[in-house]
Amino acid sequence: MKKILFISVLGLFSCSKNTQTHPPVGGVLSKNDLDVSRQRMKNLNSQERYHIQEWINGQPVKYYPTQLNYWVDAQGFDQRQRRQDDTFISYSYDLYDFDQTKIYDQPVQRRDARFGHFDELKAVEDALRFIHDGEEVTLLVPSALAYGTYGDEKKIDNDIPLIIKLKAL
């Protein structure tokens, strides 16, 4: 009887876990967690900007920095007149990594998208505001303005800077 009681008590205690508590998804993070995350992104952005600049230095094409933190192969690009919300644009773009390997066989293409009403990569949406109809530009985009920390959950991994060849149709 003592054996059964001992085994029962041992079994009861072995079932209880020492669980850690985590904030719920979308929950409040501590100031320290936010500071660590902010510092990580700052360091990652600095590293990516350095590597992109090194890549640019080895290219025959000249690239120009924009105010939003990406580069484009058109001088004065983000100084042009900006397209307004509720105007329409048709466009397509191809994605490449910095080895210049095309990521997807088919381009991303949208017809008659209306500014202010479509969700696109930050750099692409910004560039579409300044691109002329029929123009094609190449964007060099840090990961924070591309697919960021999560990637696209298909072929683009997390924290990957991209080359985007964008064309206004």
Side-chain angles (χ1 to χ4, degrees), residues 2-3 10 13 17 29 59 78 94 118 147 167-168:
K2 286 184 181 182
K3 274 186 173 177
L10 186 62
F13 284 114
K17 295 184 199 174
L29 296 175
Q59 301 304 307
D78 61 351
D94 286 303
F118 64 94
Y147 288 97
K167 183 172 185 173

Side-chain angles (χ1 to χ4, degrees), residues 30-107:
S30 71
K31 181 179 180 337
N32 185 50
D33 290 338
L34 291 173
D35 290 341
V36 167
S37 178
R38 191 175 299 115
Q39 189 60 42
R40 178 191 174 279
M41 288 307 296
K42 188 176 181 180
N43 291 341
L44 179 64
N45 189 39
S46 294
Q47 289 174 354
E48 287 180 359
R49 289 185 63 75
Y50 173 78
H51 290 296
I52 291 171
Q53 190 60 57
E54 288 296 308
W55 185 88
I56 290 170
N57 293 342
Q59 301 304 307
V61 176
K62 185 146 175 71
Y63 291 90
Y64 305 92
T66 65
Q67 294 176 5
L68 191 62
N69 196 28
Y70 64 90
W71 289 261
V72 66
D73 63 350
Q75 188 171 12
F77 186 74
D78 61 351
Q79 304 303 315
R80 297 174 178 178
Q81 185 172 351
R82 183 177 165 86
R83 293 179 193 244
Q84 299 301 313
D85 280 347
D86 293 324
T87 58
F88 291 91
I89 189 166
S90 295
Y91 61 95
S92 70
Y93 62 88
D94 286 303
L95 301 171
Y96 297 82
D97 62 20
F98 272 81
D99 292 328
Q100 298 187 27
T101 302
K102 193 172 185 179
I103 297 172
Y104 290 106
D105 293 334
Q106 299 298 316

Side-chain angles (χ1 to χ4, degrees), residues 1-14:
M1 181 71 161
K2 286 184 181 182
K3 274 186 173 177
I4 292 174
L5 183 60
F6 177 72
I7 292 172
S8 298
V9 170
L10 186 62
L12 182 64
F13 284 114
S14 68

Side-chain angles (χ1 to χ4, degrees), residues 87-165:
T87 58
F88 291 91
I89 189 166
S90 295
Y91 61 95
S92 70
Y93 62 88
D94 286 303
L95 301 171
Y96 297 82
D97 62 20
F98 272 81
D99 292 328
Q100 298 187 27
T101 302
K102 193 172 185 179
I103 297 172
Y104 290 106
D105 293 334
Q106 299 298 316
V108 174
Q109 190 167 2
R110 308 255 192 278
R111 294 272 179 195
D112 298 321
R114 196 167 80 183
F115 281 106
H117 300 279
F118 64 94
D119 188 28
E120 195 55 80
L121 297 175
K122 290 176 188 176
V124 170
E125 188 167 351
D126 185 69
L128 287 170
R129 296 279 185 172
F130 301 104
I131 197 169
H132 296 143
D133 290 340
E135 184 179 22
E136 187 171 346
V137 295
T138 300
L139 313 176
L140 309 179
V141 182
S143 64
L145 297 175
Y147 288 97
T149 304
Y150 299 104
D152 74 345
E153 299 179 356
K154 296 174 190 161
K155 290 186 172 186
I156 301 172
D157 207 0
N158 60 317
D159 300 328
I160 300 295
L162 296 173
I163 298 172
I164 301 173
K165 295 191 178 187

